Amino acid sequence: MYAVFTRDDAGRAGRSVAAQTTALVVALVFGVIAAGLAAAYVQARRAVADEATARVLAVAQSVAAEPDVVAAVGDGDAGGVLQPLAEAVRVNTRTDFVVVMSPDGIRYSHPNPEQVGRRFVGHIEGAQAGGTVVEDYTGTLGPSRRAVVPVLSGGRVVGLVAVGIGKEAVNARLADELPPLLVAGAVAGLLAAVGTTLIARRVRRQTRGLRAAELQAMHDHHDAVLHSVTEGLVLVDPEGRVRLANDEARRLLGLPEDPAGREVAELGLAAPLVAAMTDADVREDDLHVTGSRVLVLNKARAHRDGEDLGSVVTVRDRTDLEELTGELGAARGLAEALRSQAHESGNRLHTMVSLIELGHPERAVEFATGELERAQQLTDVVVTGVEDPTVSALLLGKAAEAHERGVELVIDPGLRWPADVGTARDVVTVIGNLVDNAVDAVTGVDGVRRVSLRSRDLGDRVELVVADTGPGIPPELRSRVLERGFSTKSGGGQAGRGIGLALVHHTVERLGGTLAIDDPPGATVTVTLPLRGPA
């Protein structure tokens, strides 16, 4: 017994798969958005800092290259022209300070005039050596991004120029970059919310709102059931592709290990079986012969909410049942033949006793020896020409059964049947079904009721010919009589009908032989089978 997992049992198993998926997607998306915003903020901060650096450096280099500045620095700013010039540049370039100083760092200009003449606060060693200094430093005006460059005259450093932008201005510029980033993040979050909602609805619809534990339990139970049932189960979608096949279906139909996703027509099945599994018909106890198996197929259409989901096909093995039925029929036939022989033997015995009592003993001896001679002749023909004792017993039993049904079974005196033709089961299937069909064909017809059987050893193969004096098989039906379930007998299509010739046909094909149907006067079936070993 399998336990049934219900929603009440799963009450503590967590949220549904759709809810869990939604939570994971939301966490992932908003995590990505947050990481993106952080990266964009860092990038914007770096860009603003780089922009400030480029501005102060460009302004400093421009001021240091100004001829008036070079001349004024050279004479120690004797005329006091550097303070107004530096302030004008500061205002025009929207920087926070432009300081021109001596090579020792004594200021010639400053936004605060009181700082003029004092020493510059910051690192100027690199500029004094003829290089450039770019740094963040807290000076008299607060923290700033600054650049210090030398003023050159004749290859000598005659002064220094420092230009800076306060950190507050840099941060204000960065603050101007934040609103677009926040708007982009909000839009991304909105789109993510809409997308997550749609995904959650789809997942909820596809999972029926089940929890993960419920889905897992359902899968485990269904998988266990599919592997344990004794019937073959195949799910076929409306396009004719296999969606699921359990172990028994793969065994009975000879399917590959994983047929899921493949079309039924690509699996190497017989055409009637493919048609039965893929058409739109509902089938009940449909008989099919495949290889050496007799299968019973049932098919039902699957629908959900008006949608066609395909077909559910179940397959049962009826091979053993058919063999048991055949063996039972043979046993009944043999019992009937023995009963008939016993009845005839009693009549013959009474006849011989009566002849003796009437004073005709010579007639009694003649009568008895004649019957024994005919029986012995048939036995001698079968035993001499057939090397397989199973076939000999089969032919003698069929002869007695035919005689009981008023049919003359004529066995060719030149009958030859080697011992190495297929297995005993295969040989009994071929000969038994052919003789039974021939006897059925002539039973009840007017005129001669005869079935003839002959066999020839052709060296590498054996030829078997079974002919009857029945009505024959019309040419247009000769291919159909080899199909499972089709029969020209009355009641064709009922259980047990249309199996014999189909079994013979598949057995002959499996053994590598051939089968042909001819006439007149009745039906003549010719079968050739290869020998299993050297002739």
Side-chain angles (χ1 to χ4, degrees), residues 86-122:
E87 285 299 296
V89 172
R90 180 183 68 81
V91 173
N92 291 334
T93 59
R94 289 182 296 178
T95 54
D96 288 323
F97 65 85
V98 176
V99 175
V100 183
M101 67 193 85
S102 68
D104 297 330
I106 302 302
R107 301 186 186 101
Y108 296 138
S109 67
H110 194 275
N112 182 4
E114 295 179 357
Q115 297 294 329
V116 176
R118 297 181 180 181
R119 184 171 296 278
F120 179 78
V121 180

PDB file of all heavy atoms in Angstrom, residues 86-122:
ATOM      1  N   ALA A  86      44.264  85.719 -10.574  1.00  0.00           N
ATOM      2  CA  ALA A  86      43.875  84.393 -10.088  1.00  0.00           C
ATOM      3  C   ALA A  86      42.395  84.339  -9.719  1.00  0.00           C
ATOM      4  O   ALA A  86      41.691  83.353  -9.984  1.00  0.00           O
ATOM      5  CB  ALA A  86      44.743  84.014  -8.882  1.00  0.00           C
ATOM      6  N   GLU A  87      41.877  85.440  -9.122  1.00  0.00           N
ATOM      7  CA  GLU A  87      40.473  85.454  -8.736  1.00  0.00           C
ATOM      8  C   GLU A  87      39.569  85.453  -9.967  1.00  0.00           C
ATOM      9  O   GLU A  87      38.502  84.831  -9.979  1.00  0.00           O
ATOM     10  CB  GLU A  87      40.189  86.673  -7.869  1.00  0.00           C
ATOM     11  CG  GLU A  87      40.716  86.544  -6.454  1.00  0.00           C
ATOM     12  CD  GLU A  87      40.074  85.375  -5.735  1.00  0.00           C
ATOM     13  OE1 GLU A  87      38.843  85.377  -5.508  1.00  0.00           O
ATOM     14  OE2 GLU A  87      40.801  84.396  -5.428  1.00  0.00           O
ATOM     15  N   ALA A  88      40.008  86.178 -10.996  1.00  0.00           N
ATOM     16  CA  ALA A  88      39.218  86.181 -12.226  1.00  0.00           C
ATOM     17  C   ALA A  88      39.145  84.779 -12.829  1.00  0.00           C
ATOM     18  O   ALA A  88      38.084  84.312 -13.293  1.00  0.00           O
ATOM     19  CB  ALA A  88      39.825  87.176 -13.225  1.00  0.00           C
ATOM     20  N   VAL A  89      40.284  84.081 -12.833  1.00  0.00           N
ATOM     21  CA  VAL A  89      40.292  82.697 -13.353  1.00  0.00           C
ATOM     22  C   VAL A  89      39.420  81.795 -12.490  1.00  0.00           C
ATOM     23  O   VAL A  89      38.679  80.937 -12.989  1.00  0.00           O
ATOM     24  CB  VAL A  89      41.746  82.183 -13.413  1.00  0.00           C
ATOM     25  CG1 VAL A  89      41.770  80.707 -13.758  1.00  0.00           C
ATOM     26  CG2 VAL A  89      42.555  82.976 -14.421  1.00  0.00           C
ATOM     27  N   ARG A  90      39.492  81.983 -11.162  1.00  0.00           N
ATOM     28  CA  ARG A  90      38.688  81.136 -10.271  1.00  0.00           C
ATOM     29  C   ARG A  90      37.203  81.280 -10.546  1.00  0.00           C
ATOM     30  O   ARG A  90      36.458  80.299 -10.603  1.00  0.00           O
ATOM     31  CB  ARG A  90      38.994  81.496  -8.823  1.00  0.00           C
ATOM     32  CG  ARG A  90      38.212  80.658  -7.801  1.00  0.00           C
ATOM     33  CD  ARG A  90      38.522  81.115  -6.385  1.00  0.00           C
ATOM     34  NE  ARG A  90      38.003  82.449  -6.128  1.00  0.00           N
ATOM     35  CZ  ARG A  90      36.720  82.704  -5.801  1.00  0.00           C
ATOM     36  NH1 ARG A  90      35.842  81.718  -5.706  1.00  0.00           N
ATOM     37  NH2 ARG A  90      36.346  83.949  -5.563  1.00  0.00           N
ATOM     38  N   VAL A  91      36.791  82.564 -10.728  1.00  0.00           N
ATOM     39  CA  VAL A  91      35.367  82.808 -10.967  1.00  0.00           C
ATOM     40  C   VAL A  91      34.950  82.247 -12.312  1.00  0.00           C
ATOM     41  O   VAL A  91      33.897  81.607 -12.456  1.00  0.00           O
ATOM     42  CB  VAL A  91      35.067  84.317 -10.865  1.00  0.00           C
ATOM     43  CG1 VAL A  91      33.629  84.589 -11.284  1.00  0.00           C
ATOM     44  CG2 VAL A  91      35.316  84.810  -9.456  1.00  0.00           C
ATOM     45  N   ASN A  92      35.770  82.464 -13.310  1.00  0.00           N
ATOM     46  CA  ASN A  92      35.408  82.014 -14.665  1.00  0.00           C
ATOM     47  C   ASN A  92      35.405  80.485 -14.791  1.00  0.00           C
ATOM     48  O   ASN A  92      34.622  79.926 -15.565  1.00  0.00           O
ATOM     49  CB  ASN A  92      36.377  82.616 -15.683  1.00  0.00           C
ATOM     50  CG  ASN A  92      36.199  84.117 -15.822  1.00  0.00           C
ATOM     51  OD1 ASN A  92      35.119  84.662 -15.571  1.00  0.00           O
ATOM     52  ND2 ASN A  92      37.271  84.834 -16.205  1.00  0.00           N
ATOM     53  N   THR A  93      36.279  79.810 -14.061  1.00  0.00           N
ATOM     54  CA  THR A  93      36.357  78.347 -14.177  1.00  0.00           C
ATOM     55  C   THR A  93      35.529  77.619 -13.130  1.00  0.00           C
ATOM     56  O   THR A  93      35.505  76.380 -13.101  1.00  0.00           O
ATOM     57  CB  THR A  93      37.820  77.880 -14.056  1.00  0.00           C
ATOM     58  OG1 THR A  93      38.340  78.310 -12.791  1.00  0.00           O
ATOM     59  CG2 THR A  93      38.664  78.436 -15.192  1.00  0.00           C
ATOM     60  N   ARG A  94      34.876  78.389 -12.237  1.00  0.00           N
ATOM     61  CA  ARG A  94      34.026  77.828 -11.187  1.00  0.00           C
ATOM     62  C   ARG A  94      34.780  76.808 -10.341  1.00  0.00           C
ATOM     63  O   ARG A  94      34.282  75.721 -10.026  1.00  0.00           O
ATOM     64  CB  ARG A  94      32.775  77.194 -11.791  1.00  0.00           C
ATOM     65  CG  ARG A  94      31.810  78.220 -12.342  1.00  0.00           C
ATOM     66  CD  ARG A  94      30.559  77.574 -12.880  1.00  0.00           C
ATOM     67  NE  ARG A  94      30.850  76.713 -14.022  1.00  0.00           N
ATOM     68  CZ  ARG A  94      29.936  75.991 -14.657  1.00  0.00           C
ATOM     69  NH1 ARG A  94      28.661  76.036 -14.258  1.00  0.00           N
ATOM     70  NH2 ARG A  94      30.275  75.255 -15.685  1.00  0.00           N
ATOM     71  N   THR A  95      36.000  77.169 -10.030  1.00  0.00           N
ATOM     72  CA  THR A  95      36.773  76.395  -9.070  1.00  0.00           C
ATOM     73  C   THR A  95      36.726  77.110  -7.727  1.00  0.00           C
ATOM     74  O   THR A  95      36.262  78.234  -7.619  1.00  0.00           O
ATOM     75  CB  THR A  95      38.231  76.250  -9.552  1.00  0.00           C
ATOM     76  OG1 THR A  95      38.776  77.547  -9.813  1.00  0.00           O
ATOM     77  CG2 THR A  95      38.312  75.398 -10.809  1.00  0.00           C
ATOM     78  N   ASP A  96      37.237  76.438  -6.666  1.00  0.00           N
ATOM     79  CA  ASP A  96      37.151  77.011  -5.321  1.00  0.00           C
ATOM     80  C   ASP A  96      38.383  77.821  -4.958  1.00  0.00           C
ATOM     81  O   ASP A  96      38.305  78.708  -4.091  1.00  0.00           O
ATOM     82  CB  ASP A  96      36.925  75.902  -4.296  1.00  0.00           C
ATOM     83  CG  ASP A  96      35.517  75.334  -4.391  1.00  0.00           C
ATOM     84  OD1 ASP A  96      34.580  76.104  -4.645  1.00  0.00           O
ATOM     85  OD2 ASP A  96      35.350  74.111  -4.238  1.00  0.00           O
ATOM     86  N   PHE A  97      39.507  77.523  -5.520  1.00  0.00           N
ATOM     87  CA  PHE A  97      40.676  78.386  -5.283  1.00  0.00           C
ATOM     88  C   PHE A  97      41.672  78.215  -6.427  1.00  0.00           C
ATOM     89  O   PHE A  97      41.789  77.140  -7.015  1.00  0.00           O
ATOM     90  CB  PHE A  97      41.341  78.098  -3.939  1.00  0.00           C
ATOM     91  CG  PHE A  97      41.955  76.727  -3.806  1.00  0.00           C
ATOM     92  CD1 PHE A  97      43.251  76.465  -4.269  1.00  0.00           C
ATOM     93  CD2 PHE A  97      41.257  75.701  -3.182  1.00  0.00           C
ATOM     94  CE1 PHE A  97      43.803  75.216  -4.115  1.00  0.00           C
ATOM     95  CE2 PHE A  97      41.820  74.455  -3.041  1.00  0.00           C
ATOM     96  CZ  PHE A  97      43.094  74.201  -3.508  1.00  0.00           C
ATOM     97  N   VAL A  98      42.347  79.359  -6.724  1.00  0.00           N
ATOM     98  CA  VAL A  98      43.474  79.388  -7.659  1.00  0.00           C
ATOM     99  C   VAL A  98      44.585  80.123  -6.923  1.00  0.00           C
ATOM    100  O   VAL A  98      44.486  81.325  -6.665  1.00  0.00           O
ATOM    101  CB  VAL A  98      43.121  80.096  -8.980  1.00  0.00           C
ATOM    102  CG1 VAL A  98      44.374  80.177  -9.872  1.00  0.00           C
ATOM    103  CG2 VAL A  98      41.982  79.376  -9.695  1.00  0.00           C
ATOM    104  N   VAL A  99      45.605  79.402  -6.563  1.00  0.00           N
ATOM    105  CA  VAL A  99      46.693  79.962  -5.750  1.00  0.00           C
ATOM    106  C   VAL A  99      47.972  79.928  -6.585  1.00  0.00           C
ATOM    107  O   VAL A  99      48.379  78.862  -7.069  1.00  0.00           O
ATOM    108  CB  VAL A  99      46.881  79.172  -4.444  1.00  0.00           C
ATOM    109  CG1 VAL A  99      48.096  79.701  -3.678  1.00  0.00           C
ATOM    110  CG2 VAL A  99      45.628  79.279  -3.584  1.00  0.00           C
ATOM    111  N   VAL A 100      48.579  81.113  -6.718  1.00  0.00           N
ATOM    112  CA  VAL A 100      49.886  81.227  -7.359  1.00  0.00           C
ATOM    113  C   VAL A 100      50.879  81.497  -6.258  1.00  0.00           C
ATOM    114  O   VAL A 100      50.644  82.358  -5.387  1.00  0.00           O
ATOM    115  CB  VAL A 100      49.914  82.351  -8.414  1.00  0.00           C
ATOM    116  CG1 VAL A 100      51.296  82.383  -9.104  1.00  0.00           C
ATOM    117  CG2 VAL A 100      48.800  82.163  -9.428  1.00  0.00           C
ATOM    118  N   MET A 101      51.997  80.738  -6.269  1.00  0.00           N
ATOM    119  CA  MET A 101      52.942  80.839  -5.163  1.00  0.00           C
ATOM    120  C   MET A 101      54.370  80.787  -5.703  1.00  0.00           C
ATOM    121  O   MET A 101      54.613  80.430  -6.855  1.00  0.00           O
ATOM    122  CB  MET A 101      52.695  79.701  -4.164  1.00  0.00           C
ATOM    123  CG  MET A 101      53.010  78.317  -4.703  1.00  0.00           C
ATOM    124  SD  MET A 101      52.369  76.978  -3.679  1.00  0.00           S
ATOM    125  CE  MET A 101      50.691  76.849  -4.329  1.00  0.00           C
ATOM    126  N   SER A 102      55.266  81.127  -4.790  1.00  0.00           N
ATOM    127  CA  SER A 102      56.673  81.064  -5.136  1.00  0.00           C
ATOM    128  C   SER A 102      57.135  79.626  -5.119  1.00  0.00           C
ATOM    129  O   SER A 102      56.422  78.735  -4.632  1.00  0.00           O
ATOM    130  CB  SER A 102      57.480  81.876  -4.122  1.00  0.00           C
ATOM    131  OG  SER A 102      57.439  81.233  -2.841  1.00  0.00           O
ATOM    132  N   PRO A 103      58.320  79.315  -5.622  1.00  0.00           N
ATOM    133  CA  PRO A 103      58.814  77.932  -5.574  1.00  0.00           C
ATOM    134  C   PRO A 103      58.882  77.386  -4.168  1.00  0.00           C
ATOM    135  O   PRO A 103      58.828  76.176  -3.977  1.00  0.00           O
ATOM    136  CB  PRO A 103      60.202  78.038  -6.209  1.00  0.00           C
ATOM    137  CG  PRO A 103      60.125  79.224  -7.099  1.00  0.00           C
ATOM    138  CD  PRO A 103      59.234  80.198  -6.402  1.00  0.00           C
ATOM    139  N   ASP A 104      58.975  78.243  -3.153  1.00  0.00           N
ATOM    140  CA  ASP A 104      59.018  77.778  -1.769  1.00  0.00           C
ATOM    141  C   ASP A 104      57.637  77.612  -1.167  1.00  0.00           C
ATOM    142  O   ASP A 104      57.516  77.213   0.000  1.00  0.00           O
ATOM    143  CB  ASP A 104      59.824  78.763  -0.910  1.00  0.00           C
ATOM    144  CG  ASP A 104      61.277  78.843  -1.349  1.00  0.00           C
ATOM    145  OD1 ASP A 104      61.773  77.797  -1.856  1.00  0.00           O
ATOM    146  OD2 ASP A 104      61.878  79.901  -1.223  1.00  0.00           O
ATOM    147  N   GLY A 105      56.559  77.973  -1.895  1.00  0.00           N
ATOM    148  CA  GLY A 105      55.205  77.794  -1.399  1.00  0.00           C
ATOM    149  C   GLY A 105      54.628  79.019  -0.752  1.00  0.00           C
ATOM    150  O   GLY A 105      53.598  78.919  -0.063  1.00  0.00           O
ATOM    151  N   ILE A 106      55.221  80.210  -0.909  1.00  0.00           N
ATOM    152  CA  ILE A 106      54.651  81.437  -0.353  1.00  0.00           C
ATOM    153  C   ILE A 106      53.596  81.935  -1.327  1.00  0.00           C
ATOM    154  O   ILE A 106      53.851  82.125  -2.517  1.00  0.00           O
ATOM    155  CB  ILE A 106      55.748  82.484  -0.138  1.00  0.00           C
ATOM    156  CG1 ILE A 106      56.844  81.923   0.805  1.00  0.00           C
ATOM    157  CG2 ILE A 106      55.157  83.757   0.438  1.00  0.00           C
ATOM    158  CD1 ILE A 106      56.343  81.486   2.151  1.00  0.00           C
ATOM    159  N   ARG A 107      52.362  82.139  -0.816  1.00  0.00           N
ATOM    160  CA  ARG A 107      51.245  82.480  -1.678  1.00  0.00           C
ATOM    161  C   ARG A 107      51.377  83.904  -2.218  1.00  0.00           C
ATOM    162  O   ARG A 107      51.643  84.836  -1.473  1.00  0.00           O
ATOM    163  CB  ARG A 107      49.912  82.354  -0.931  1.00  0.00           C
ATOM    164  CG  ARG A 107      49.613  80.971  -0.377  1.00  0.00           C
ATOM    165  CD  ARG A 107      48.195  80.982   0.198  1.00  0.00           C
ATOM    166  NE  ARG A 107      47.853  79.744   0.889  1.00  0.00           N
ATOM    167  CZ  ARG A 107      47.854  79.559   2.184  1.00  0.00           C
ATOM    168  NH1 ARG A 107      48.215  80.577   2.970  1.00  0.00           N
ATOM    169  NH2 ARG A 107      47.512  78.400   2.721  1.00  0.00           N
ATOM    170  N   TYR A 108      51.090  84.054  -3.546  1.00  0.00           N
ATOM    171  CA  TYR A 108      50.908  85.363  -4.154  1.00  0.00           C
ATOM    172  C   TYR A 108      49.427  85.696  -4.318  1.00  0.00           C
ATOM    173  O   TYR A 108      49.081  86.865  -4.545  1.00  0.00           O
ATOM    174  CB  TYR A 108      51.584  85.422  -5.535  1.00  0.00           C
ATOM    175  CG  TYR A 108      53.101  85.267  -5.483  1.00  0.00           C
ATOM    176  CD1 TYR A 108      53.743  84.476  -6.420  1.00  0.00           C
ATOM    177  CD2 TYR A 108      53.865  85.950  -4.535  1.00  0.00           C
ATOM    178  CE1 TYR A 108      55.126  84.346  -6.407  1.00  0.00           C
ATOM    179  CE2 TYR A 108      55.251  85.818  -4.508  1.00  0.00           C
ATOM    180  CZ  TYR A 108      55.871  85.004  -5.447  1.00  0.00           C
ATOM    181  OH  TYR A 108      57.237  84.861  -5.420  1.00  0.00           O
ATOM    182  N   SER A 109      48.568  84.654  -4.234  1.00  0.00           N
ATOM    183  CA  SER A 109      47.114  84.884  -4.396  1.00  0.00           C
ATOM    184  C   SER A 109      46.378  83.843  -3.567  1.00  0.00           C
ATOM    185  O   SER A 109      46.896  82.743  -3.286  1.00  0.00           O
ATOM    186  CB  SER A 109      46.710  84.777  -5.866  1.00  0.00           C
ATOM    187  OG  SER A 109      46.859  83.448  -6.344  1.00  0.00           O
ATOM    188  N   HIS A 110      45.138  84.214  -3.206  1.00  0.00           N
ATOM    189  CA  HIS A 110      44.290  83.280  -2.442  1.00  0.00           C
ATOM    190  C   HIS A 110      42.891  83.870  -2.393  1.00  0.00           C
ATOM    191  O   HIS A 110      42.726  85.091  -2.362  1.00  0.00           O
ATOM    192  CB  HIS A 110      44.839  83.118  -1.016  1.00  0.00           C
ATOM    193  CG  HIS A 110      44.220  81.945  -0.297  1.00  0.00           C
ATOM    194  ND1 HIS A 110      43.020  82.012   0.375  1.00  0.00           N
ATOM    195  CD2 HIS A 110      44.656  80.667  -0.161  1.00  0.00           C
ATOM    196  CE1 HIS A 110      42.733  80.843   0.908  1.00  0.00           C
ATOM    197  NE2 HIS A 110      43.726  79.991   0.604  1.00  0.00           N
ATOM    198  N   PRO A 111      41.809  83.066  -2.394  1.00  0.00           N
ATOM    199  CA  PRO A 111      40.451  83.606  -2.297  1.00  0.00           C
ATOM    200  C   PRO A 111      40.264  84.444  -1.037  1.00  0.00           C
ATOM    201  O   PRO A 111      39.451  85.359  -1.020  1.00  0.00           O
ATOM    202  CB  PRO A 111      39.568  82.342  -2.285  1.00  0.00           C
ATOM    203  CG  PRO A 111      40.369  81.320  -2.997  1.00  0.00           C
ATOM    204  CD  PRO A 111      41.794  81.605  -2.640  1.00  0.00           C
ATOM    205  N   ASN A 112      40.990  84.116   0.014  1.00  0.00           N
ATOM    206  CA  ASN A 112      40.962  84.907   1.234  1.00  0.00           C
ATOM    207  C   ASN A 112      42.223  85.764   1.251  1.00  0.00           C
ATOM    208  O   ASN A 112      43.334  85.244   1.476  1.00  0.00           O
ATOM    209  CB  ASN A 112      40.926  83.994   2.464  1.00  0.00           C
ATOM    210  CG  ASN A 112      40.840  84.775   3.770  1.00  0.00           C
ATOM    211  OD1 ASN A 112      40.736  86.029   3.762  1.00  0.00           O
ATOM    212  ND2 ASN A 112      40.896  84.066   4.892  1.00  0.00           N
ATOM    213  N   PRO A 113      42.119  87.048   0.996  1.00  0.00           N
ATOM    214  CA  PRO A 113      43.314  87.902   0.901  1.00  0.00           C
ATOM    215  C   PRO A 113      44.212  87.821   2.114  1.00  0.00           C
ATOM    216  O   PRO A 113      45.429  88.057   2.026  1.00  0.00           O
ATOM    217  CB  PRO A 113      42.737  89.304   0.716  1.00  0.00           C
ATOM    218  CG  PRO A 113      41.379  89.081   0.127  1.00  0.00           C
ATOM    219  CD  PRO A 113      40.877  87.821   0.749  1.00  0.00           C
ATOM    220  N   GLU A 114      43.656  87.486   3.274  1.00  0.00           N
ATOM    221  CA  GLU A 114      44.470  87.433   4.472  1.00  0.00           C
ATOM    222  C   GLU A 114      45.508  86.309   4.404  1.00  0.00           C
ATOM    223  O   GLU A 114      46.477  86.292   5.168  1.00  0.00           O
ATOM    224  CB  GLU A 114      43.584  87.226   5.709  1.00  0.00           C
ATOM    225  CG  GLU A 114      42.654  88.406   5.979  1.00  0.00           C
ATOM    226  CD  GLU A 114      41.782  88.164   7.196  1.00  0.00           C
ATOM    227  OE1 GLU A 114      41.895  87.031   7.781  1.00  0.00           O
ATOM    228  OE2 GLU A 114      40.988  89.038   7.564  1.00  0.00           O
ATOM    229  N   GLN A 115      45.251  85.317   3.521  1.00  0.00           N
ATOM    230  CA  GLN A 115      46.176  84.192   3.406  1.00  0.00           C
ATOM    231  C   GLN A 115      47.322  84.497   2.448  1.00  0.00           C
ATOM    232  O   GLN A 115      48.255  83.686   2.321  1.00  0.00           O
ATOM    233  CB  GLN A 115      45.417  82.942   2.908  1.00  0.00           C
ATOM    234  CG  GLN A 115      44.336  82.466   3.850  1.00  0.00           C
ATOM    235  CD  GLN A 115      44.913  81.959   5.167  1.00  0.00           C
ATOM    236  OE1 GLN A 115      46.034  81.416   5.232  1.00  0.00           O
ATOM    237  NE2 GLN A 115      44.164  82.183   6.247  1.00  0.00           N
ATOM    238  N   VAL A 116      47.259  85.612   1.736  1.00  0.00           N
ATOM    239  CA  VAL A 116      48.338  85.982   0.821  1.00  0.00           C
ATOM    240  C   VAL A 116      49.590  86.256   1.638  1.00  0.00           C
ATOM    241  O   VAL A 116      49.535  86.960   2.666  1.00  0.00           O
ATOM    242  CB  VAL A 116      47.948  87.216  -0.032  1.00  0.00           C
ATOM    243  CG1 VAL A 116      49.135  87.648  -0.899  1.00  0.00           C
ATOM    244  CG2 VAL A 116      46.744  86.892  -0.897  1.00  0.00           C
ATOM    245  N   GLY A 117      50.734  85.762   1.211  1.00  0.00           N
ATOM    246  CA  GLY A 117      51.990  85.922   1.914  1.00  0.00           C
ATOM    247  C   GLY A 117      52.288  84.793   2.862  1.00  0.00           C
ATOM    248  O   GLY A 117      53.416  84.699   3.390  1.00  0.00           O
ATOM    249  N   ARG A 118      51.309  83.949   3.129  1.00  0.00           N
ATOM    250  CA  ARG A 118      51.530  82.802   4.004  1.00  0.00           C
ATOM    251  C   ARG A 118      51.915  81.559   3.171  1.00  0.00           C
ATOM    252  O   ARG A 118      51.696  81.517   1.972  1.00  0.00           O
ATOM    253  CB  ARG A 118      50.287  82.513   4.838  1.00  0.00           C
ATOM    254  CG  ARG A 118      49.938  83.661   5.786  1.00  0.00           C
ATOM    255  CD  ARG A 118      48.710  83.302   6.604  1.00  0.00           C
ATOM    256  NE  ARG A 118      48.359  84.416   7.519  1.00  0.00           N
ATOM    257  CZ  ARG A 118      47.337  84.386   8.369  1.00  0.00           C
ATOM    258  NH1 ARG A 118      46.546  83.298   8.414  1.00  0.00           N
ATOM    259  NH2 ARG A 118      47.097  85.417   9.150  1.00  0.00           N
ATOM    260  N   ARG A 119      52.371  80.518   3.892  1.00  0.00           N
ATOM    261  CA  ARG A 119      52.825  79.321   3.190  1.00  0.00           C
ATOM    262  C   ARG A 119      51.624  78.449   2.784  1.00  0.00           C
ATOM    263  O   ARG A 119      50.653  78.325   3.528  1.00  0.00           O
ATOM    264  CB  ARG A 119      53.788  78.536   4.087  1.00  0.00           C
ATOM    265  CG  ARG A 119      54.410  77.303   3.390  1.00  0.00           C
ATOM    266  CD  ARG A 119      55.500  76.708   4.261  1.00  0.00           C
ATOM    267  NE  ARG A 119      56.594  77.643   4.422  1.00  0.00           N
ATOM    268  CZ  ARG A 119      57.564  77.800   3.514  1.00  0.00           C
ATOM    269  NH1 ARG A 119      57.557  77.100   2.395  1.00  0.00           N
ATOM    270  NH2 ARG A 119      58.540  78.653   3.735  1.00  0.00           N
ATOM    271  N   PHE A 120      51.726  77.887   1.617  1.00  0.00           N
ATOM    272  CA  PHE A 120      50.678  77.014   1.080  1.00  0.00           C
ATOM    273  C   PHE A 120      50.581  75.743   1.921  1.00  0.00           C
ATOM    274  O   PHE A 120      51.606  75.152   2.309  1.00  0.00           O
ATOM    275  CB  PHE A 120      50.995  76.665  -0.379  1.00  0.00           C
ATOM    276  CG  PHE A 120      49.985  75.754  -1.033  1.00  0.00           C
ATOM    277  CD1 PHE A 120      48.768  76.239  -1.484  1.00  0.00           C
ATOM    278  CD2 PHE A 120      50.261  74.402  -1.202  1.00  0.00           C
ATOM    279  CE1 PHE A 120      47.848  75.407  -2.093  1.00  0.00           C
ATOM    280  CE2 PHE A 120      49.328  73.575  -1.801  1.00  0.00           C
ATOM    281  CZ  PHE A 120      48.115  74.072  -2.255  1.00  0.00           C
ATOM    282  N   VAL A 121      49.352  75.296   2.223  1.00  0.00           N
ATOM    283  CA  VAL A 121      49.123  74.094   3.028  1.00  0.00           C
ATOM    284  C   VAL A 121      48.850  72.931   2.066  1.00  0.00           C
ATOM    285  O   VAL A 121      47.826  72.893   1.370  1.00  0.00           O
ATOM    286  CB  VAL A 121      47.925  74.288   3.981  1.00  0.00           C
ATOM    287  CG1 VAL A 121      47.703  73.015   4.798  1.00  0.00           C
ATOM    288  CG2 VAL A 121      48.180  75.473   4.905  1.00  0.00           C
ATOM    289  N   GLY A 122      49.740  71.965   1.975  1.00  0.00           N
ATOM    290  CA  GLY A 122      49.596  70.823   1.086  1.00  0.00           C
ATOM    291  C   GLY A 122      50.938  70.334   0.613  1.00  0.00           C
ATOM    292  O   GLY A 122      52.000  70.862   1.001  1.00  0.00           O
TER     293      GLY A 122
END
